[in-house]
Amino acid sequence: MIKSFVGLLQSSPEKPHFATQTESITHRRHIKVTAGKSSPKVSGRNLRVAIVGGGPAGGSAAETLAKGGIETFLIERKLDNCKPCGGAIPLCMIGEFDLPLDIIDRRVTRMMMISPSNVAVEVGRTLKPHEYIGMVRREVLDAYLRDRAKQNGANIINGLFLKMDIPRDQNSPYVLHYSGFDEKSGGVAEKRTLEVDAVIGADGANSRVAKCINAGDYGYAIAFQERIKIPDDKMVYYENLAEVYMGEDVSPDFYGWVFPKCDHVAVGTGTFTHKGDIKKYQLATRNRAKDKILGAKTIRVEAHPIPEHPRPRRMMGRVALVGDAAGYVTKCSGEGIYFAAKSGRICAEAIVEGSENGKRMVEEGDLKKYLEKWDKIYWPTFKVLDVFQKVFYRSNPAREAFVEMCGDVYVQKMAFDGYLYKKIVPGNPMEDIKLAIKTIGSLMRAHAINREMNKLNV
């Protein structure tokens, strides 16, 4: 639900502040790009592109490139990687990326929002019979996207990317250095090189490709998650339900979660500001859910950095960053799977188009088309969620107000519609005014209760 609330914040037609801000951003970022047909033809072969990283961004980019006539190489070290990720994907992603239903572990139609004072509000009442939030395991989703890319002609390399030699002119190749692992080497790393015409960095928050092009650093959060096996009778409760816990005890600037998977639940939390206390917050999340996960057995522990905002630089020459490497994770929700896959596809489409299906060399202008398209579509979403986090994640009273708002049917409908389909949903002006009044009232009420509680604690 936290992820989906952006739909509501985008939907109202009467948001002059955000509209003005968005227009100015779009104007500043407008880049006039001419077609790349003046670039030289590739002689005796098709354009070669390497993708570093085999998650949703890398897998979707590899498939698009291979289908588009590009000689495609995808380098991934951990082909069975289990990223600590809530694993929620919007309904539109299943259709847009033609995902088979058998890789969807659970179809969540109910979400329980739980406030700092343990007030629980159920959301999902406005969903239509066919609508749901898909829950996936990253190791399953990522492997499927890579395998499909391979079926379409991409070369999947089990290797660890080390560094990249930057060419001195516009047409010379990039030389990638990596440690290869395959049956030929018997599991022992072999130093190898690969020459390509362009590179897509899809190698996560600690991207080595980003370092090679001096893309700059960014702040990051730590996500910590445990895969927990619970008794069958407890698992029935989570059959189609996910829980979100809010409060300074579970995270000072994020939230805790219990999301259902195939035969277990994922329990986790995250924080930008207090990374050293992440295990304390994880314990608090488990304690908040203890009655529902009683008898739990931990089967896996995972931790991973999550970027806080886009990198200062997302491309240079014929190298572009996508997914977490580019910083495409939304504030306050930590949503990144859909944006990763979408950015990988948009970037690959720009390369296919600019190279005329692999027949010509790509130029920097072709990759700028990717950034221009991405920013036009998604930049407002990231900015709005940044503001949203600052308003509702700053204190427990604000979190109480947010959970109270989630009980509103109009909020639920607008939020879920926006999240499930990633489209701006036309709002009702009168309902928007009522919602604004309710929001102010909820915030005032929560702060008043907090003051009284502080008096009792004196």
Side-chain angles (χ1 to χ4, degrees):
M1 175 64 187
I2 292 179
K3 294 179 178 183
S4 61
F5 202 82
V6 67
L8 173 69
L9 294 174
Q10 287 180 297
S11 62
S12 172
E14 296 187 7
K15 301 192 299 295
H17 173 70
F18 290 127
T20 302
Q21 183 184 50
T22 301
E23 288 166 5
S24 63
I25 290 171
T26 303
H27 177 72
R28 290 198 307 269
R29 290 172 170 266
H30 181 69
I31 303 168
K32 186 176 181 180
V33 181
T34 57
K37 293 184 180 180
S38 62
S39 60
K41 286 189 175 183
V42 180
S43 179
R45 60 177 176 83
N46 282 9
L47 189 79
R48 290 176 182 152
V49 177
I51 302 158
V52 180
S60 62
E63 179 185 8
T64 302
L65 290 174
K67 283 182 175 179
I70 310 295
E71 190 175 354
T72 306
F73 302 88
L74 186 152
I75 301 173
E76 169 59 48
R77 173 64 184 100
K78 297 180 179 179
L79 296 176
D80 60 348
N81 184 40
C82 302
K83 185 178 178 180
C85 171
I89 61 173
L91 188 62
C92 66
M93 182 174 179
I94 298 170
E96 283 184 43
F97 290 86
D98 196 23
L99 300 178
L101 296 181
D102 60 2
I103 72 169
I104 310 298
D105 282 343
R106 299 279 174 170
R107 301 185 184 189
V108 168
T109 56
R110 301 163 56 222
M111 265 191 140
M112 202 68 73
M113 303 294 300
I114 303 170
S115 77
S117 63
N118 279 327
V119 173
V121 172
E122 183 177 332
V123 299
R125 289 175 286 165
T126 64
L127 290 178
K128 297 180 180 65
H130 70 281
E131 293 178 330
Y132 60 90
I133 296 172
M135 290 291 172
V136 298
R137 285 165 289 162
R138 283 292 303 276
E139 63 269 28
V140 175
L141 173 66
D142 295 6
Y144 174 79
L145 292 174
R146 286 194 303 268
D147 289 345
R148 193 164 68 182
K150 183 177 181 179
Q151 291 167 11
N152 281 280
N155 300 285
I156 309 300
I157 299 173
N158 184 196
L160 174 65
F161 172 76
L162 301 172
K163 63 179 182 176
M164 175 172 61
D165 297 336
I166 308 294
R168 294 184 178 181
D169 59 64
Q170 294 182 350
N171 299 316
S172 295
Y174 288 84
V175 180
L176 277 62
H177 300 259
Y178 68 96
S179 296
F181 302 87
D182 54 27
E183 293 180 1
K184 180 180 177 181
S185 63
V188 179
E190 287 187 354
K191 295 293 177 63
R192 300 170 185 170
T193 60
L194 176 67
E195 293 188 357
V196 295
D197 303 304
V199 180
I200 296 178
D203 48 340
N206 293 322
S207 171
R208 291 186 177 181
V209 175
K211 290 180 175 65
C212 290
I213 63 170
N214 297 315
D217 295 324
Y218 48 30
Y220 65 92
I222 289 293
F224 189 96
Q225 178 174 273
E226 294 174 275
R227 307 279 191 98
I228 295 177
K229 189 87 171 177
I230 59 177
D232 291 343
D233 60 326
K234 300 285 185 184
M235 197 66 202
V236 171
Y237 172 76
Y238 290 107
E239 181 178 2
N240 65 341
L241 179 139
E243 291 181 319
V244 170
Y245 289 88
M246 303 196 72
E248 292 176 358
D249 58 328
V250 299
S251 175
D253 54 350
F254 212 60
Y255 60 89
W257 65 84
V258 181
F259 286 173
K261 302 296 179 182
C262 56
D263 60 353
H264 62 277
V265 293
V267 181
T269 185
T271 178
F272 291 100
T273 57
H274 293 70
K275 301 178 185 68
D277 295 325
I278 189 66
K279 290 187 177 180
K280 179 183 75 173
Y281 298 135
Q282 175 68 7
L283 180 59
T285 303
R286 289 191 60 152
N287 285 337
R288 292 274 292 273
K290 63 181 180 181
D291 293 338
K292 287 164 280 190
I293 60 173
L294 197 64
K297 179 183 178 181
T298 301
I299 57 178
R300 192 179 188 108
V301 178
E302 306 156 339
H304 199 79
I306 300 176
E308 186 178 5
H309 55 76
R311 285 190 189 273
R313 172 185 288 168
R314 291 169 288 158
M315 63 153 289
M316 186 184 77
R318 288 170 277 139
V319 180
L321 304 176
V322 296
D324 283 14
Y328 297 150
V329 176
T330 56
K331 276 283 191 76
C332 90
S333 70
E335 181 184 3
I337 298 177
Y338 175 81
F339 296 114
K342 195 72 174 179
S343 64
R345 174 177 283 183
I346 292 174
C347 183
E349 287 172 345
I351 292 174
V352 170
E353 180 182 352
S355 69
E356 295 184 348
N357 295 95
K359 303 305 179 186
R360 292 183 179 274
M361 179 64 67
V362 288
E363 300 172 339
E364 186 174 89
D366 298 310
L367 297 182
K368 283 182 179 177
K369 284 185 178 181
Y370 143 62
L371 290 184
E372 183 182 47
K373 183 175 181 180
W374 174 267
D375 288 350
K376 182 178 180 181
I377 298 172
Y378 296 112
W379 192 263
T381 296
F382 282 75
K383 295 302 293 182
V384 168
L385 280 175
D386 188 13
V387 173
F388 177 82
Q389 184 180 46
K390 291 173 181 175
V391 172
F392 289 104
Y393 281 39
R394 59 196 170 97
S395 67
N396 273 354
R399 296 182 183 97
E400 293 283 352
F402 169 67
V403 173
E404 181 179 321
M405 285 169 51
C406 289
D408 187 279
V409 173
Y410 180 66
V411 171
Q412 293 188 25
K413 176 173 174 50
M414 299 299 289
F416 268 111
D417 284 352
Y419 171 69
L420 291 177
Y421 303 108
K422 292 296 182 235
K423 293 181 179 178
I424 295 177
V425 184
N428 182 312
M430 288 303 297
E431 291 295 332
D432 290 336
I433 293 172
K434 291 179 184 177
L435 177 59
I437 295 171
K438 287 182 180 179
T439 301
I440 295 171
S442 295
L443 286 167
M444 293 176 64
R445 214 164 24 252
H447 279 288
I449 293 172
N450 189 61
R451 284 196 301 269
E452 294 304 315
M453 292 299 293
N454 288 337
K455 289 178 183 178
L456 293 175
N457 292 332
V458 173

